[in-house]
Amino acid sequence: MQIEQSRIDELNAQLESGHKRNFEFYAASLTNVEAVIDKLIDFQVAIPSWALGAGGTRFGRFSIGGEPGNLEEKIEDVGLLHKLNQSSGAISLHIPWDIPSDAAKIRALAAHHGLVFDAMNSNTFQDQPGQKLSYKYGSLQNVDKGVRQQAVDHNLEVIKYGKELGSNSLTVWLSDGSSFPGQLNFRKAFQNTLEGLQDIYAGLPEDWKVFVEYKAFEPNFYSMSVGDWGQSLLYASKLGPKAFTLVDLGHHLPNANIEQIVSLLLMEKKLGGFHFNDSKYGDDDLTVGSMRPYQLFLIFRELVEGMNARGMNHAKDLGWMIDASHNIKDPLEDLLQSVEAIQIAYAQALLVDDKALDEARESNDVVRAQEILQQAFRTDVRSVVAEARRRSGAAIDPLGAYRAMKIRDILIGERGAVNKATGL
Ligand code: LRH
Ligand code: MN
């Protein structure tokens, strides 16, 4: 299904006066509101192709109905999100779940929905039907050279598909590690993994980047061979200028200070991008901003400070991607909420009075520094984010529009109630 612009304009007209009153009230107290709106309009978040169906856990999966049954329908669904918020202009594919049957046709379909292809994701954490060698004991770390080579070949194949689709980056997340003390020689595992990543790096086109994603645990529960930001930075530094770290918010040990990690990786010019989600315990892959919106704000605060310090283009110079899995929510509603939460955190981070904060820091006025930060965090910017959408032709209230148009019912009507999307 496709959404007609006239339908969005119609729904916006119903919300116009209330929105206008809200926006004018809040904008009146903001010095840089126009600059913030311009930045919000430019800021696009890539949607993961594997998060458009109902996820699940080992304990169960509850179908949502109307799920995309192939790559074309996944692109259609991201097209729906982008039409509603004009902030989801890219899709991140996972291979082999999303192998394009006809790359040119797929590329044209994406362009028709205003979408480009963000980072490609390889998969050496599952054994595919007919696969020669198993990844049970890891992929690039594996003691068996044949398994390591198979994993390298797969990543080079993913790059091939990415080139055909116009992507220019590869995310490598390795489930490699160990689940029991004694199982693994950590040094050999690191060396094998580095050699494998070097072979993949050698296959990168000139203008490509490779993102090394780290994770503290799962599916291995004693060690992970890319277990934290330090290990990812070590690999990325040894690989070369096209290699960067990728920060998945759910991949940290409890109470990790992610905003400090982000500020240092950015300072070191080795922060490549994000997988945004939220969590209370582990890699829960929950709606962005649903558990710890203040942490998300603090992360964006470090991003804005660090990117400004290096004169970076906020919208283009880092990979902004969501990585989520939906067990009980409608995936499209969850993703609309996540993009909104990211835009709100970014807008609040742009409102911080930099000069006053520096003065407070230079004079160790800890209380004033907190007050300056929380002044921005406690500023309701929802009407500013909505105004950015209105100006870009999107829905003032994407979630309201999604429900008013009964999109899930239409998708169930078109695709059936039981089909399962490939992905997690
Ligand atoms: C691993 C991960 C990785 C993806 C997978 C779907 O937890 O975050 O980014 O490949 O989820
Ligand atoms: Mn991830």
Side-chain angles (χ1 to χ4, degrees), residues 313-330:
N313 175 310
H314 291 191
K316 303 246 175 311
D317 292 349
L318 290 178
W320 310 110
M321 297 165 273
I322 289 173
D323 183 357
S325 176
H326 322 283
N327 298 337
I328 55 175
K329 286 184 178 180
D330 176 325

Side-chain angles (χ1 to χ4, degrees), residues 63-75:
S63 182
I64 188 82
E67 295 186 29
N70 55 42
L71 182 50
E72 287 78 2
E73 291 181 348
K74 289 180 177 183
I75 291 171

Side-chain angles (χ1 to χ4, degrees), residues 83-364:
K83 190 72 183 173
L84 289 167
N85 63 22
Q86 289 300 326
S87 304
S88 311
I91 181 170
S92 184
L93 300 188
H94 220 298
I95 304 294
W97 299 333
D98 306 314
I99 291 178
S101 48
D102 173 334
K105 206 160 105 316
I106 290 293
R107 205 170 169 165
L109 176 65
H112 169 71
H113 289 283
L115 306 177
V116 295
F117 290 95
D118 205 299
M120 303 293 289
N121 295 268
S122 59
N123 177 342
T124 57
F125 51 84
Q126 293 171 328
D127 289 344
Q128 305 303 327
Q131 185 177 300
K132 280 200 229 39
L133 303 167
S134 172
Y135 293 130
K136 179 175 180 179
Y137 296 108
S139 60
L140 297 183
Q141 77 170 23
N142 202 295
V143 294
D144 178 330
K145 175 74 182 140
V147 175
R148 301 200 297 270
Q149 190 56 52
Q150 178 181 270
V152 169
D153 296 346
H154 165 69
N155 278 276
L156 297 178
E157 186 198 2
V158 174
I159 293 171
K160 179 179 72 61
Y161 289 124
K163 279 161 61 179
E164 292 169 0
L165 294 169
S167 170
N168 63 6
S169 55
L170 168 70
T171 294
V172 178
W173 170 65
L174 300 171
S175 59
D176 294 20
S178 63
S179 281
F180 296 93
Q183 173 185 345
L184 201 61
N185 177 318
F186 296 137
R187 288 169 286 102
K188 277 195 183 154
F190 183 92
Q191 283 308 333
N192 287 346
T193 302
L194 180 60
E195 280 161 27
L197 288 171
Q198 283 165 335
D199 293 346
I200 294 167
Y201 189 92
L204 284 178
E206 204 34 53
D207 63 344
W208 272 53
K209 295 175 178 177
V210 61
F211 300 141
V212 181
E213 182 177 4
Y214 59 88
K215 184 172 183 178
F217 64 90
E218 189 202 39
N220 278 293
F221 296 100
Y222 174 61
S223 76
M224 293 286 279
S225 294
V226 189
D228 61 24
W229 69 283
Q231 293 172 48
S232 174
L233 181 59
L234 208 47
Y235 286 116
S237 306
K238 289 175 181 288
L239 286 169
K242 292 190 281 187
F244 301 86
T245 64
L246 186 138
V247 177
D248 184 313
L249 301 190
H251 288 188
H252 299 83
L253 293 173
N255 307 322
N257 187 325
I258 303 176
E259 54 270 27
Q260 183 189 24
I261 294 170
V262 166
S263 69
L264 299 180
L265 289 173
L266 194 48
M267 178 186 71
E268 289 298 300
K269 300 187 173 59
K270 276 299 184 183
L271 177 65
F274 286 86
H275 279 180
F276 290 112
N277 46 56
D278 210 336
S279 51
K280 189 165 182 57
Y281 303 107
D283 188 19
D284 311 345
D285 277 346
L286 300 172
T287 317
V288 182
S290 61
M291 291 294 165
R292 294 181 271 195
Y294 191 48
Q295 174 183 265
L296 185 67
F297 161 75
L298 294 173
I299 289 170
F300 267 94
R301 189 51 225 159
E302 294 304 330
L303 285 167
V304 166
E305 272 189 36
M307 289 194 285
N308 289 352
R310 289 181 44 203
M312 293 169 72
N313 175 310
H314 291 191
K316 303 246 175 311
D317 292 349
L318 290 178
W320 310 110
M321 297 165 273
I322 289 173
D323 183 357
S325 176
H326 322 283
N327 298 337
I328 55 175
K329 286 184 178 180
D330 176 325
L332 298 183
E333 294 192 348
D334 197 322
L335 291 162
L336 287 173
Q337 288 183 303
S338 285
V339 173
E340 170 91 358
I342 291 167
Q343 295 261 3
I344 287 172
Y346 180 37
Q348 290 171 331
L350 292 168
L351 294 183
V352 172
D353 182 339
D354 297 312
K355 194 166 159 304
L357 184 59
D358 284 346
E359 283 160 11
R361 285 169 171 170
E362 292 308 313
S363 56
N364 295 317

